[in-house]
Amino acid sequence: MLNGLFTIYLNNTKEEQWKLSGKDEEQRIREKQTIKELLDYPVVKDLSSTFLVTTNTRNDYNHAGENPNPTKAQKLIDQIDERLIKVFEYFNLPQVPSETLHSHPHPQSALFINLSNHPSSTWQPAQLEAARQYGEIIDIDFPAVDALCSQEKINLLANQYAQNIINRGVPTCITVHVMGEMTLTFRLVELLKAQGICCVASTTERIVNTLPDGKKETLFSFVQFREY
């Protein structure tokens, strides 16, 4: 039930779509009531994103590099360590067992991931320079979101893109520039910030010039990156 509980919370699954294990109606009613009560527990909200990362890490580990786009061995070690530390800290356990921790002799590269519909190749010099202060720039196209898209689809997209980003390095070395459809942006920022990943938006100044023919020209000048 625990796996299903986290999945329900992460995807905001409607009650009628819950997968229940009860063999008869009475058992299923009790199961639904239990799920509703547990969904109100803070631990479900606080550790749901950790569950998502742990599940994907476990699957990658179990397939021993035979699945599509397997995570590198050192990255798997990093992810396992990070999840253990997060869970131990959450439950105020005295320490993470030393045998689970590993030193990392090679520092992780800082990354600035541009998740938007404006590739960095089109940016003004000031914006490029500001982005490079965060790390190496990587462009990822923000997905198109249909106006009729369901909340379940938004959650699925957010989980997929968040996992793609999480797999790219140590969270504290990643900054993500998230600019796109608002509901997907909100969910993505929630998931990424829960992993300790810094998320920023770009701010601009609107400049309106009057041309000789009387027409108005509107320009947008980059000002700064601001954290969500």
Side-chain angles (χ1 to χ4, degrees):
M1 176 183 286
L2 187 58
N3 284 4
L5 187 68
F6 279 123
T7 302
I8 288 171
Y9 177 83
L10 280 168
N11 295 326
N12 195 25
T13 307
K14 295 179 180 179
E15 182 177 334
E16 58 268 24
Q17 297 175 323
W18 292 356
K19 295 180 180 180
L20 305 173
S21 59
K23 295 181 180 180
D24 55 45
E25 186 61 22
E26 183 178 349
Q27 289 181 338
R28 287 191 287 272
I29 290 174
R30 288 202 301 269
E31 190 176 349
K32 280 187 178 181
Q33 184 59 38
T34 300
I35 291 173
K36 291 176 182 178
E37 292 175 359
L38 291 175
L39 283 173
D40 288 330
Y41 276 51
V43 67
V44 175
K45 177 180 179 180
D46 295 341
L47 293 183
S48 59
S49 57
T50 292
F51 164 79
L52 170 67
V53 178
T54 305
T55 298
N56 286 291
T57 300
R58 179 202 63 196
N59 292 341
D60 222 2
Y61 180 87
N62 287 345
H63 287 93
E66 294 300 320
N67 55 326
N69 302 315
T71 303
K72 293 182 179 180
Q74 187 57 56
K75 177 57 182 174
L76 279 176
I77 293 171
D78 292 340
Q79 288 180 341
I80 292 170
D81 285 351
E82 288 164 10
R83 295 310 101 198
L84 284 171
I85 291 171
K86 191 173 184 67
V87 171
F88 272 69
E89 288 180 347
Y90 184 84
F91 290 106
N92 294 317
L93 296 175
Q95 63 179 22
V96 178
S98 59
E99 62 268 19
T100 67
L101 299 177
H102 310 273
S103 62
H104 305 293
H106 303 293
Q108 297 291 323
S109 298
L111 301 176
F112 183 86
I113 296 176
N114 170 38
L115 180 56
S116 75
N117 292 316
H118 300 283
S120 58
S121 59
T122 66
W123 287 358
Q124 299 168 359
Q127 187 169 3
L128 278 173
E129 181 59 29
R132 291 188 181 116
Q133 301 305 308
Y134 290 93
E136 176 189 357
I137 301 174
I138 296 175
D139 290 311
I140 299 178
D141 290 337
F142 196 98
V145 178
D146 191 282
L148 297 176
C149 188
S150 67
Q151 185 62 54
E152 288 76 13
K153 178 64 173 177
I154 292 293
N155 290 331
L156 180 61
L157 276 172
N159 289 337
Q160 289 174 341
Y161 275 76
Q163 189 58 53
N164 178 359
I165 292 168
I166 291 165
N167 283 341
R168 290 174 180 264
V170 175
T172 53
C173 295
I174 298 175
T175 301
V176 186
H177 175 235
V178 191
M179 299 286 284
E181 193 276 336
M182 293 180 68
T183 59
L184 179 54
T185 292
F186 179 80
R187 187 65 180 131
L188 267 168
V189 170
E190 276 192 321
L191 292 173
L192 295 172
K193 284 175 68 70
Q195 302 305 312
I197 294 175
C198 176
C199 296
V200 300
S202 50
T203 68
T204 58
E205 180 182 7
R206 184 171 178 265
I207 302 172
V208 179
N209 297 318
T210 301
L211 302 177
D213 60 3
K215 295 182 179 179
K216 293 188 180 296
E217 177 187 57
T218 301
L219 302 174
F220 293 91
S221 179
F222 172 79
V223 176
Q224 67 169 343
F225 290 113
R226 186 162 58 213
E227 286 191 31
Y228 282 96

Coordinates of all heavy atoms in Angstrom, one line a residue, residues 37-111:
E37 N -6.9 8.8 5.1 CA -6.3 9.2 6.3 C -4.8 9.4 6.2 O -4.2 10.3 6.7 CB -6.6 8.2 7.4 CG -8.1 8.1 7.8 CD -8.4 7.0 8.8 OE1 -7.5 6.3 9.2 OE2 -9.6 6.8 9.2
L38 N -4.1 8.4 5.5 CA -2.7 8.4 5.4 C -2.2 9.6 4.5 O -1.1 10.1 4.7 CB -2.2 7.1 4.8 CG -2.3 5.9 5.8 CD1 -1.8 4.6 5.1 CD2 -1.4 6.1 7.0
L39 N -3.0 10.0 3.5 CA -2.7 11.1 2.6 C -2.5 12.4 3.4 O -1.9 13.3 2.9 CB -3.7 11.2 1.5 CG -3.6 10.2 0.4 CD1 -4.8 10.4 -0.6 CD2 -2.3 10.4 -0.4
D40 N -3.1 12.5 4.6 CA -3.0 13.7 5.4 C -1.8 13.7 6.3 O -1.5 14.7 6.9 CB -4.3 13.8 6.3 CG -5.5 14.2 5.5 OD1 -5.4 14.9 4.4 OD2 -6.6 13.8 5.9
Y41 N -1.0 12.6 6.3 CA 0.2 12.5 7.1 C 1.3 13.4 6.5 O 1.5 13.3 5.3 CB 0.6 11.1 7.3 CG -0.1 10.3 8.4 CD1 -1.4 10.3 8.4 CD2 0.7 9.6 9.3 CE1 -2.1 9.5 9.4 CE2 0.0 8.9 10.3 CZ -1.3 8.8 10.4 OH -2.0 8.1 11.3
P42 N 1.9 14.2 7.2 CA 3.0 15.1 6.7 C 4.1 14.3 6.0 O 4.7 14.7 5.0 CB 3.5 15.8 7.9 CG 2.4 15.9 8.9 CD 1.7 14.6 8.7
V43 N 4.4 13.1 6.6 CA 5.5 12.3 6.0 C 5.3 11.9 4.6 O 6.2 11.8 3.8 CB 5.7 11.0 6.9 CG1 4.6 10.0 6.8 CG2 7.0 10.3 6.5
V44 N 4.0 11.7 4.2 CA 3.7 11.4 2.8 C 4.1 12.5 1.9 O 4.7 12.4 0.8 CB 2.2 11.0 2.6 CG1 1.8 10.8 1.2 CG2 1.9 9.8 3.4
K45 N 3.7 13.8 2.3 CA 4.0 14.9 1.5 C 5.5 15.2 1.5 O 6.1 15.5 0.4 CB 3.3 16.2 2.0 CG 3.6 17.5 1.3 CD 2.9 18.6 1.9 CE 3.2 19.9 1.2 NZ 2.5 21.1 1.7
D46 N 6.1 15.1 2.6 CA 7.6 15.4 2.8 C 8.5 14.5 2.1 O 9.6 14.9 1.6 CB 7.9 15.5 4.3 CG 7.2 16.6 5.0 OD1 6.7 17.5 4.3 OD2 7.1 16.6 6.2
L47 N 8.1 13.2 2.0 CA 9.0 12.2 1.4 C 8.5 11.6 0.1 O 9.1 10.7 -0.5 CB 9.2 11.0 2.4 CG 10.0 11.3 3.7 CD1 10.1 10.1 4.5 CD2 11.3 12.0 3.4
S48 N 7.5 12.2 -0.5 CA 7.0 11.7 -1.8 C 8.0 11.9 -2.9 O 8.1 10.9 -3.7 CB 5.6 12.4 -2.1 OG 5.9 13.8 -2.2
S49 N 8.6 13.0 -3.0 CA 9.6 13.2 -4.1 C 10.8 12.3 -3.9 O 11.4 11.8 -4.8 CB 10.0 14.6 -4.2 OG 10.6 15.1 -2.9
T50 N 11.2 12.0 -2.6 CA 12.3 11.1 -2.3 C 11.9 9.7 -2.8 O 12.7 9.0 -3.3 CB 12.6 11.1 -0.8 OG1 13.1 12.4 -0.5 CG2 13.6 10.0 -0.4
F51 N 10.6 9.3 -2.6 CA 10.1 8.0 -3.1 C 10.3 7.9 -4.6 O 10.7 6.9 -5.1 CB 8.7 7.9 -2.7 CG 8.0 6.8 -3.4 CD1 8.1 5.4 -3.0 CD2 7.1 7.0 -4.5 CE1 7.5 4.4 -3.7 CE2 6.5 6.0 -5.2 CZ 6.7 4.7 -4.8
L52 N 9.9 9.0 -5.3 CA 10.0 9.0 -6.8 C 11.5 8.7 -7.2 O 11.7 7.9 -8.1 CB 9.6 10.4 -7.3 CG 9.8 10.6 -8.8 CD1 9.0 9.6 -9.7 CD2 9.5 12.0 -9.2
V53 N 12.4 9.5 -6.6 CA 13.8 9.3 -7.0 C 14.3 7.9 -6.6 O 15.0 7.2 -7.4 CB 14.7 10.4 -6.3 CG1 16.2 10.2 -6.7 CG2 14.3 11.8 -6.8
T54 N 13.9 7.5 -5.4 CA 14.4 6.1 -5.0 C 13.9 5.0 -5.8 O 14.6 4.1 -6.1 CB 13.9 5.9 -3.5 OG1 14.4 7.0 -2.7 CG2 14.5 4.6 -3.0
T55 N 12.6 5.1 -6.3 CA 12.0 4.1 -7.1 C 12.8 4.0 -8.4 O 13.1 2.9 -8.9 CB 10.5 4.4 -7.4 OG1 9.8 4.4 -6.1 CG2 9.9 3.4 -8.3
N56 N 13.0 5.1 -9.1 CA 13.8 5.1 -10.3 C 15.2 4.6 -10.2 O 15.7 3.9 -11.0 CB 13.8 6.5 -11.0 CG 12.4 6.9 -11.5 OD1 12.0 6.4 -12.5 ND2 11.7 7.8 -10.9
T57 N 15.8 5.0 -9.1 CA 17.2 4.5 -8.8 C 17.2 3.0 -8.6 O 18.1 2.3 -9.1 CB 17.7 5.2 -7.5 OG1 17.8 6.7 -7.7 CG2 19.1 4.8 -7.2
R58 N 16.2 2.5 -7.8 CA 16.1 1.1 -7.6 C 15.9 0.3 -8.9 O 16.6 -0.7 -9.1 CB 14.9 0.8 -6.6 CG 14.7 -0.7 -6.3 CD 13.3 -0.9 -5.9 NE 12.4 -0.6 -7.0 CZ 11.1 -0.4 -6.8 NH1 10.5 -0.5 -5.6 NH2 10.3 -0.2 -7.8
N59 N 15.1 0.8 -9.8 CA 14.8 0.2 -11.0 C 16.1 0.1 -11.9 O 16.5 -0.9 -12.5 CB 13.7 0.8 -11.8 CG 12.4 0.7 -11.1 OD1 12.2 -0.2 -10.3 ND2 11.4 1.5 -11.4
D60 N 16.8 1.3 -11.9 CA 18.1 1.4 -12.6 C 19.1 0.4 -12.1 O 19.8 -0.3 -12.8 CB 18.6 2.8 -12.5 CG 19.2 3.3 -13.9 OD1 19.1 2.5 -14.9 OD2 19.7 4.4 -13.9
Y61 N 19.2 0.3 -10.8 CA 20.1 -0.6 -10.1 C 19.8 -2.1 -10.4 O 20.7 -2.9 -10.7 CB 20.1 -0.4 -8.6 CG 21.0 -1.2 -7.8 CD1 22.3 -0.9 -7.6 CD2 20.6 -2.4 -7.3 CE1 23.2 -1.7 -6.8 CE2 21.4 -3.2 -6.5 CZ 22.7 -2.8 -6.3 OH 23.6 -3.6 -5.6
N62 N 18.5 -2.4 -10.3 CA 18.1 -3.8 -10.5 C 18.3 -4.3 -11.9 O 18.5 -5.5 -12.2 CB 16.6 -4.0 -10.1 CG 16.3 -3.9 -8.7 OD1 17.3 -4.0 -7.9 ND2 15.1 -3.7 -8.3
H63 N 18.2 -3.4 -12.9 CA 18.4 -3.8 -14.3 C 19.9 -3.8 -14.7 O 20.2 -4.1 -15.9 CB 17.7 -2.8 -15.2 CG 16.2 -3.0 -15.2 ND1 15.3 -2.3 -14.4 CD2 15.4 -3.9 -15.9 CE1 14.1 -2.7 -14.5 NE2 14.1 -3.7 -15.4
A64 N 20.8 -3.4 -13.8 CA 22.2 -3.5 -14.0 C 22.7 -3.0 -15.3 O 23.5 -3.5 -16.0 CB 22.6 -5.0 -13.9
G65 N 22.2 -1.8 -15.7 CA 22.7 -1.1 -16.9 C 22.1 -1.6 -18.2 O 22.5 -1.2 -19.3
E66 N 21.1 -2.5 -18.1 CA 20.5 -3.1 -19.3 C 19.2 -2.3 -19.8 O 18.7 -2.6 -20.8 CB 20.1 -4.5 -19.1 CG 21.3 -5.5 -18.9 CD 22.3 -5.5 -20.0 OE1 21.8 -5.5 -21.2 OE2 23.5 -5.4 -19.8
N67 N 18.8 -1.4 -19.0 CA 17.6 -0.6 -19.4 C 18.0 0.6 -20.3 O 19.2 0.9 -20.3 CB 16.9 0.0 -18.2 CG 17.8 0.8 -17.3 OD1 18.9 0.5 -17.1 ND2 17.2 1.8 -16.6
P68 N 17.1 1.2 -21.0 CA 17.5 2.3 -21.9 C 18.0 3.5 -21.1 O 17.6 3.8 -20.0 CB 16.1 2.7 -22.5 CG 15.3 1.5 -22.4 CD 15.7 0.8 -21.1
N69 N 19.1 4.1 -21.6 CA 19.7 5.3 -20.9 C 20.0 5.0 -19.5 O 19.6 5.7 -18.6 CB 18.8 6.5 -21.0 CG 18.5 6.9 -22.4 OD1 19.3 6.9 -23.3 ND2 17.2 7.2 -22.7
P70 N 20.8 4.0 -19.2 CA 21.1 3.7 -17.8 C 22.0 4.7 -17.1 O 22.8 5.4 -17.8 CB 21.9 2.4 -17.9 CG 22.6 2.4 -19.3 CD 21.5 3.1 -20.1
T71 N 21.8 4.9 -15.8 CA 22.5 5.9 -15.0 C 23.9 5.3 -14.8 O 24.1 4.1 -14.5 CB 21.8 6.1 -13.7 OG1 20.5 6.6 -14.0 CG2 22.6 7.2 -12.9
K72 N 24.9 6.1 -14.8 CA 26.3 5.6 -14.6 C 26.4 5.2 -13.1 O 25.7 5.7 -12.2 CB 27.3 6.7 -14.9 CG 27.4 7.0 -16.4 CD 28.4 8.1 -16.7 CE 28.5 8.4 -18.2 NZ 29.5 9.4 -18.5
A73 N 27.4 4.3 -12.9 CA 27.5 3.7 -11.5 C 27.8 4.7 -10.4 O 27.1 4.6 -9.4 CB 28.7 2.7 -11.6
Q74 N 28.6 5.7 -10.7 CA 28.9 6.7 -9.7 C 27.7 7.5 -9.3 O 27.4 7.9 -8.2 CB 30.1 7.6 -10.1 CG 30.5 8.6 -9.0 CD 31.0 7.8 -7.7 OE1 31.8 7.0 -7.8 NE2 30.4 8.2 -6.6
K75 N 26.9 7.8 -10.4 CA 25.7 8.6 -10.1 C 24.7 7.8 -9.3 O 24.0 8.3 -8.4 CB 25.0 8.9 -11.5 CG 23.7 9.7 -11.4 CD 23.9 10.9 -10.6 CE 22.5 11.7 -10.4 NZ 22.6 12.8 -9.5
L76 N 24.6 6.4 -9.5 CA 23.7 5.6 -8.7 C 24.2 5.7 -7.2 O 23.3 5.8 -6.3 CB 23.7 4.2 -9.2 CG 22.9 3.8 -10.4 CD1 23.1 2.4 -10.8 CD2 21.4 4.0 -10.1
I77 N 25.5 5.6 -7.0 CA 26.0 5.7 -5.7 C 25.6 7.0 -5.0 O 25.2 7.1 -3.9 CB 27.5 5.5 -5.6 CG1 27.9 4.0 -6.1 CG2 28.1 5.7 -4.3 CD1 29.4 3.8 -6.3
D78 N 25.8 8.1 -5.8 CA 25.4 9.4 -5.3 C 23.9 9.5 -4.9 O 23.6 10.0 -3.8 CB 25.7 10.5 -6.3 CG 27.2 10.7 -6.6 OD1 28.0 10.2 -5.7 OD2 27.6 11.2 -7.6
Q79 N 23.1 9.0 -5.8 CA 21.6 9.0 -5.5 C 21.2 8.2 -4.3 O 20.4 8.7 -3.5 CB 20.9 8.5 -6.8 CG 20.9 9.5 -7.9 CD 20.1 9.0 -9.1 OE1 19.9 7.8 -9.2 NE2 19.8 9.8 -10.0
I80 N 21.8 7.0 -4.1 CA 21.5 6.2 -3.0 C 22.0 6.9 -1.7 O 21.2 7.0 -0.7 CB 22.2 4.8 -3.1 CG1 21.6 4.0 -4.2 CG2 22.1 4.1 -1.8 CD1 22.3 2.8 -4.6
D81 N 23.2 7.5 -1.7 CA 23.7 8.2 -0.5 C 22.7 9.4 -0.2 O 22.4 9.6 1.0 CB 25.1 8.7 -0.8 CG 26.1 7.6 -0.7 OD1 25.8 6.5 -0.3 OD2 27.3 7.9 -1.0
E82 N 22.3 10.1 -1.2 CA 21.5 11.3 -1.0 C 20.2 10.9 -0.4 O 19.7 11.6 0.5 CB 21.3 12.1 -2.3 CG 22.5 12.8 -2.8 CD 22.4 13.2 -4.3 OE1 21.3 13.1 -4.8 OE2 23.4 13.6 -4.9
R83 N 19.6 9.9 -0.9 CA 18.3 9.4 -0.4 C 18.4 8.9 1.1 O 17.5 9.2 1.9 CB 17.7 8.3 -1.2 CG 17.3 8.7 -2.6 CD 16.5 9.9 -2.7 NE 17.3 11.0 -3.1 CZ 16.9 12.3 -2.9 NH1 15.8 12.6 -2.4 NH2 17.7 13.3 -3.3
L84 N 19.5 8.2 1.4 CA 19.7 7.7 2.7 C 19.8 8.9 3.7 O 19.2 8.9 4.8 CB 20.9 6.8 2.8 CG 20.7 5.4 2.2 CD1 22.1 4.7 2.2 CD2 19.8 4.6 3.1
I85 N 20.6 9.9 3.3 CA 20.8 11.0 4.2 C 19.5 11.8 4.4 O 19.2 12.1 5.6 CB 21.9 12.0 3.5 CG1 23.3 11.3 3.6 CG2 21.9 13.3 4.3 CD1 24.3 12.1 2.8
K86 N 18.7 11.9 3.4 CA 17.5 12.7 3.5 C 16.5 12.0 4.4 O 15.9 12.6 5.3 CB 16.8 12.8 2.1 CG 15.6 13.8 2.1 CD 15.1 14.0 0.7 CE 14.0 15.0 0.7 NZ 14.5 16.4 1.0
V87 N 16.4 10.6 4.3 CA 15.5 9.9 5.2 C 16.0 9.8 6.6 O 15.2 10.0 7.6 CB 15.3 8.4 4.6 CG1 14.5 7.6 5.6 CG2 14.6 8.5 3.3
F88 N 17.3 9.6 6.8 CA 17.9 9.6 8.2 C 17.7 11.0 8.8 O 17.3 11.0 10.0 CB 19.3 9.3 8.1 CG 19.6 7.8 8.2 CD1 19.2 7.0 7.2 CD2 20.2 7.2 9.3 CE1 19.5 5.6 7.2 CE2 20.4 5.8 9.4 CZ 20.1 5.0 8.3
E89 N 17.9 12.0 8.1 CA 17.7 13.4 8.7 C 16.2 13.7 9.0 O 15.9 14.3 10.0 CB 18.2 14.4 7.7 CG 19.7 14.5 7.6 CD 20.2 15.5 6.6 OE1 19.4 16.1 5.9 OE2 21.4 15.8 6.6
Y90 N 15.3 13.2 8.1 CA 13.9 13.5 8.3 C 13.4 12.8 9.6 O 12.6 13.4 10.4 CB 13.1 12.9 7.2 CG 11.6 13.2 7.3 CD1 11.1 14.5 6.9 CD2 10.7 12.3 7.8 CE1 9.8 14.8 7.0 CE2 9.4 12.6 8.0 CZ 8.9 13.8 7.5 OH 7.6 14.1 7.7
F91 N 13.9 11.6 9.9 CA 13.4 10.9 11.1 C 14.3 11.1 12.3 O 14.2 10.4 13.3 CB 13.3 9.4 10.8 CG 12.2 9.1 9.9 CD1 12.4 8.7 8.6 CD2 10.9 9.1 10.3 CE1 11.4 8.4 7.7 CE2 9.8 8.8 9.5 CZ 10.0 8.5 8.2
N92 N 15.3 12.1 12.2 CA 16.1 12.5 13.3 C 16.9 11.3 13.8 O 17.2 11.2 15.0 CB 15.3 13.1 14.4 CG 14.7 14.4 14.0 OD1 15.4 15.3 13.4 ND2 13.5 14.7 14.4
L93 N 17.4 10.4 12.9 CA 18.2 9.3 13.3 C 19.6 9.9 13.5 O 20.1 10.8 12.9 CB 18.2 8.3 12.2 CG 16.8 7.6 12.0 CD1 16.9 6.6 10.8 CD2 16.3 6.9 13.2
P94 N 20.4 9.3 14.4 CA 21.6 9.8 14.9 C 22.7 10.0 13.8 O 23.4 11.0 13.7 CB 22.1 8.9 16.0 CG 21.4 7.6 15.7 CD 20.0 8.0 15.2
Q95 N 22.7 9.1 12.8 CA 23.7 9.2 11.8 C 23.4 8.2 10.7 O 22.7 7.2 10.9 CB 25.1 9.0 12.3 CG 25.3 7.5 12.9 CD 26.8 7.3 13.3 OE1 27.5 8.2 13.7 NE2 27.2 6.1 13.4
V96 N 23.9 8.5 9.5 CA 23.8 7.5 8.4 C 25.0 6.5 8.6 O 26.1 6.9 8.8 CB 24.0 8.2 7.0 CG1 24.0 7.2 5.9 CG2 22.9 9.3 6.9
P97 N 24.7 5.2 8.5 CA 25.8 4.2 8.7 C 27.0 4.6 7.8 O 26.8 4.8 6.6 CB 25.1 2.9 8.3 CG 23.7 3.1 8.6 CD 23.4 4.6 8.3
S98 N 28.1 4.5 8.3 CA 29.3 5.0 7.6 C 29.6 4.1 6.4 O 30.1 4.6 5.4 CB 30.6 4.9 8.5 OG 30.8 3.6 9.0
E99 N 29.2 2.9 6.4 CA 29.5 2.0 5.3 C 28.7 2.4 4.0 O 29.0 1.9 2.9 CB 29.2 0.5 5.6 CG 27.8 0.2 6.0 CD 27.5 0.3 7.5 OE1 28.3 1.0 8.2 OE2 26.6 -0.3 7.9
T100 N 27.6 3.2 4.2 CA 26.8 3.6 3.0 C 27.3 4.9 2.4 O 26.8 5.3 1.3 CB 25.4 3.8 3.4 OG1 25.3 5.0 4.3 CG2 24.8 2.6 4.1
L101 N 28.3 5.5 3.0 CA 28.8 6.8 2.5 C 30.1 6.6 1.8 O 30.9 5.8 2.1 CB 29.0 7.8 3.7 CG 27.7 8.2 4.4 CD1 28.0 9.1 5.6 CD2 26.7 8.8 3.5
H102 N 30.3 7.4 0.8 CA 31.5 7.3 -0.1 C 32.1 8.6 -0.3 O 31.3 9.6 -0.5 CB 31.1 6.6 -1.4 CG 30.3 5.3 -1.2 ND1 30.9 4.1 -1.0 CD2 29.0 5.2 -1.2 CE1 29.9 3.2 -0.9 NE2 28.8 3.8 -1.0
S103 N 33.4 8.7 -0.4 CA 34.0 10.0 -0.8 C 33.9 10.2 -2.3 O 33.9 9.2 -3.0 CB 35.4 10.0 -0.3 OG 36.2 9.0 -1.0
H104 N 33.9 11.4 -2.7 CA 33.8 11.7 -4.2 C 35.0 12.5 -4.6 O 35.0 13.7 -4.5 CB 32.5 12.5 -4.5 CG 31.3 11.8 -4.0 ND1 30.9 10.6 -4.5 CD2 30.4 12.1 -3.0 CE1 29.8 10.2 -3.9 NE2 29.5 11.1 -3.0
P105 N 36.1 11.8 -5.0 CA 37.3 12.5 -5.3 C 37.2 13.5 -6.5 O 38.0 14.4 -6.6 CB 38.3 11.4 -5.6 CG 37.5 10.3 -6.1 CD 36.2 10.4 -5.3
H106 N 36.3 13.3 -7.3 CA 36.1 14.2 -8.5 C 34.9 15.1 -8.3 O 33.8 14.7 -8.2 CB 35.9 13.3 -9.8 CG 37.0 12.4 -10.0 ND1 38.3 12.7 -10.3 CD2 37.0 11.0 -9.9 CE1 39.1 11.6 -10.4 NE2 38.3 10.6 -10.2
P107 N 35.2 16.4 -8.2 CA 34.1 17.3 -8.0 C 33.1 17.3 -9.1 O 33.4 17.1 -10.3 CB 34.8 18.7 -7.9 CG 36.1 18.5 -8.6 CD 36.5 17.1 -8.4
Q108 N 31.8 17.5 -8.8 CA 30.7 17.5 -9.8 C 30.7 18.8 -10.5 O 30.9 19.9 -9.9 CB 29.4 17.2 -9.1 CG 29.3 15.9 -8.5 CD 29.3 14.7 -9.5 OE1 28.7 14.9 -10.6 NE2 29.9 13.6 -9.2
S109 N 30.5 18.8 -11.8 CA 30.4 20.1 -12.6 C 29.1 20.8 -12.3 O 28.0 20.2 -12.2 CB 30.5 19.8 -14.1 OG 31.7 19.2 -14.4
A110 N 29.1 22.1 -12.2 CA 27.9 22.9 -12.0 C 27.2 23.0 -13.3 O 27.8 23.2 -14.3 CB 28.3 24.3 -11.4
L111 N 25.9 22.9 -13.3 CA 25.1 23.0 -14.5 C 24.0 24.0 -14.4 O 23.4 24.2 -13.3 CB 24.4 21.6 -14.7 CG 25.3 20.4 -14.9 CD1 24.5 19.1 -15.1 CD2 26.2 20.5 -16.1

